């Protein structure tokens, strides 16, 4: 637990020390990710015979579209305490509307209990770039195979 607290403190100290520089050099056109939208994650994931299913909601827009619509992708990776992991993606529509999303991935050796979800939302722009935003959540995997 102390190691985690030390790392958090170091990360916060590094962020504070770099914040002025970061703000000065990260406009969206210089490689910084624009705010593409928001992603919510349901805290319960279901484990079944077809794999593990994670749900949530999202709202996103294409960064430079004349009409705010376009394709996007939500990708997730679930990692359990034992180190077992799985991942999956789903195509999403980015028009500013809040919608639901569902990813079902192979469960391999994933079992019930706490897992960490690491995810991304990516939305291609008109220039062919694919900016993305990251999100993290803790979920509880319920059910059994």
């Amino acid at each position: 637990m102390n190691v985690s607290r030390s790392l958090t403190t170091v990360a916060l100290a590094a962020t504070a020390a770099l914040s002025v520089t970061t703000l000065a050099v990260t406009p969206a056109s210089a490689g910084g990710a624009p705010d593409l939208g928001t992603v919510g994650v349901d805290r319960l994931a279901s484990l079944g015979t077809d794999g593990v299913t994670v749900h949530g909601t999202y709202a996103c827009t294409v960064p430079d579209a004349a009409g705010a619509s376009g394709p996007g992708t939500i990708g997730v990776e679930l990692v359990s305490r034992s180190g077992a992991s799985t991942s999956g993606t789903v195509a999403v529509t980015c028009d500013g509307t809040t919608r639901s999303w569902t990813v079902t991935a192979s469960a391999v050796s994933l079992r019930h209990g706490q897992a960490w979800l690491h995810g991304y939302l990516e939305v291609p722009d008109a220039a062919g770039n694919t900016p993305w935003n990251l999100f993290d959540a803790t979920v509880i995997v319920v059910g059994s195979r």
Side-chain angles (χ1 to χ4, degrees):
M1 192 63 125
N2 289 338
V3 172
S4 177
R5 288 182 183 163
S6 296
L7 292 175
T8 301
T9 303
V10 170
L12 291 174
T15 302
L18 299 175
S19 63
V20 174
T21 303
T22 301
L23 291 173
V25 296
T26 55
S29 60
D35 184 15
L36 303 172
T38 59
V39 178
V41 178
D42 291 348
R43 296 297 181 206
L44 294 179
S46 303
L47 185 61
T49 56
D50 58 341
V52 62
T53 302
V54 183
H55 303 275
T57 58
Y58 75 94
C60 57
T61 57
V62 176
D64 61 353
S69 64
T73 303
I74 289 177
V76 297
E77 177 186 29
L78 277 172
V79 181
S80 72
R81 287 180 181 220
S82 69
S85 67
T86 189
S87 61
T89 61
V90 63
V92 296
T93 301
C94 293
D95 62 1
T97 303
T98 299
R99 293 188 162 86
S100 62
W101 61 269
T102 300
V103 171
T104 299
S106 170
V108 188
S109 58
L110 198 66
R111 300 287 181 243
H112 70 281
Q114 184 174 342
W116 293 270
L117 181 139
H118 308 289
Y120 65 88
L121 166 64
E122 66 179 12
V123 183
D125 64 17
N129 300 312
T130 308
W132 44 272
N133 292 142
L134 298 175
F135 59 94
D136 291 297
T138 301
V139 297
I140 303 299
V141 179
V142 297
S144 61
R145 287 186 278 176

